[in-house]
Amino acid sequence: TVFCGKCRLEYEKLGRLPCRLCGKKQTLCRCIPESCRGVVSSAVHLFEYDEDISRRVVSLFKTKNLRVLQDFLIKELAAALSDAVGDELSHYSVTFAPRSAKNIRVYGFDQARILCEGLSDALHIPMTEPFRHARRFGEQKLLDSEKRAENAEKSYALRRRWTRESERLILVDDVVTTGNTAARLARLAREAGYSEILLATAARTPYRKNEQKSEDEECRLLKKV
């Protein structure tokens, strides 16, 4: 009900593609974005944000409130997290990278919150909301690599009168490109007392041993979404 036959085959092929850094298939890869190393303990994702089918899935997830697609990605990511964490899941709570108030007004929903709520239900772990937007800044996808890092630092802060419920945290987002937003939120989570942070995303830009895709090129592609 999510894909036509052809697109289903393309999506399944995405999951089988080996990571260009560790060589493992996508759901078994635990490579951490360079900007998140030292603050994120591990990472889980479903597919690379590098093909037409992956960009279409992410675009629909961000812009259309399609329950069938949301349920599909929740189920897929819940399975990947269960495989990655196993019996230790009960020690985690789950949170998300909050969407800006402007984009919530434009699209009518927060896709990362929906993903987080679904994972909380599917994995039977508590959902928590330690982060808030500090103020309005430019959209990450429209900025170059240098400005993305600066924007991420200024855009998020810890909520006041918020209580930590666990020692370990799953940080959920729909897509990771440079990893600057995830890194900022992970540092805030460390400040809040979390000892272990697992980054969970539907999609991520590919990591390469000898060749890093230009972040400005990623920015150009994202502007089309």
Side-chain angles (χ1 to χ4, degrees):
T1 58
V2 179
F3 301 109
C4 68
K6 179 181 178 182
C7 289
R8 178 73 194 199
L9 291 175
E10 289 184 32
Y11 176 81
E12 291 176 350
K13 181 181 177 181
L14 281 178
R16 293 192 300 268
L17 290 174
C19 170
R20 304 174 202 192
L21 193 60
C22 71
K24 297 179 180 179
K25 75 174 186 178
Q26 300 302 309
T27 54
L28 296 180
C29 170
R30 301 291 176 261
C31 295
I32 299 171
E34 185 175 356
S35 58
C36 296
R37 291 171 190 169
V39 286
V40 168
S41 309
S42 185
V44 172
H45 71 284
L46 299 178
F47 52 85
E48 289 184 342
Y49 188 73
D50 201 36
E51 303 289 341
D52 287 342
I53 182 68
S54 61
R55 289 196 286 271
R56 291 200 301 271
V57 168
V58 171
S59 176
L60 285 172
F61 187 60
K62 282 179 173 291
T63 61
K64 304 294 183 181
N65 197 2
L66 301 176
R67 191 67 211 184
V68 64
L69 178 58
Q70 293 162 358
D71 288 345
F72 174 79
L73 291 177
I74 288 166
K75 182 179 178 180
E76 292 275 285
L77 195 52
L81 284 166
S82 294
D83 289 342
V85 181
D87 295 338
E88 296 295 310
L89 269 172
S90 60
H91 300 292
Y92 284 83
S93 54
V94 60
T95 192
F96 62 99
R99 197 171 205 177
S100 69
K102 176 183 177 181
N103 279 338
I104 291 175
R105 287 195 300 271
V106 170
Y107 297 109
F109 65 102
D110 185 333
Q111 78 281 2
R113 171 185 282 275
I114 290 171
L115 191 58
C116 183
E117 291 172 341
L119 289 173
S120 175
D121 290 341
L123 299 174
H124 308 292
I125 58 177
M127 175 175 161
T128 184
E129 299 183 49
F131 310 124
R132 64 177 177 85
H133 270 274
R135 53 178 293 190
R136 293 181 185 176
F137 289 91
E139 289 188 66
Q140 285 288 87
K141 71 178 184 178
L142 302 180
L143 303 176
D144 60 30
S145 56
E146 182 178 349
K147 290 182 179 178
R148 282 188 186 192
E150 180 181 357
N151 189 55
E153 286 295 319
K154 294 178 178 179
S155 293
Y156 299 95
L158 287 171
R159 289 183 181 273
R160 297 177 181 176
R161 294 184 293 276
W162 164 83
T163 303
R164 180 169 53 83
E165 299 181 13
S166 67
E167 295 292 328
R168 304 178 189 179
L169 182 69
I170 297 173
L171 173 58
V172 176
D173 205 353
D174 54 336
V175 59
V176 167
T177 51
T178 61
N180 289 317
T181 295
R184 169 59 176 167
L185 296 180
R187 285 193 292 271
L188 288 173
R190 293 284 186 182
E191 291 177 15
Y194 287 101
S195 61
E196 187 172 334
I197 300 165
L198 192 159
L199 176 62
T201 64
R204 67 157 203 206
T205 51
Y207 310 148
R208 298 177 172 89
K209 289 183 179 179
N210 300 315
E211 176 188 356
Q212 289 293 322
K213 180 184 285 188
S214 165
E215 291 175 351
D216 291 337
E217 174 66 11
E218 291 172 10
C219 178
R220 184 186 67 79
L221 290 172
L222 279 165
K223 286 180 181 179
K224 295 182 179 180
V225 173

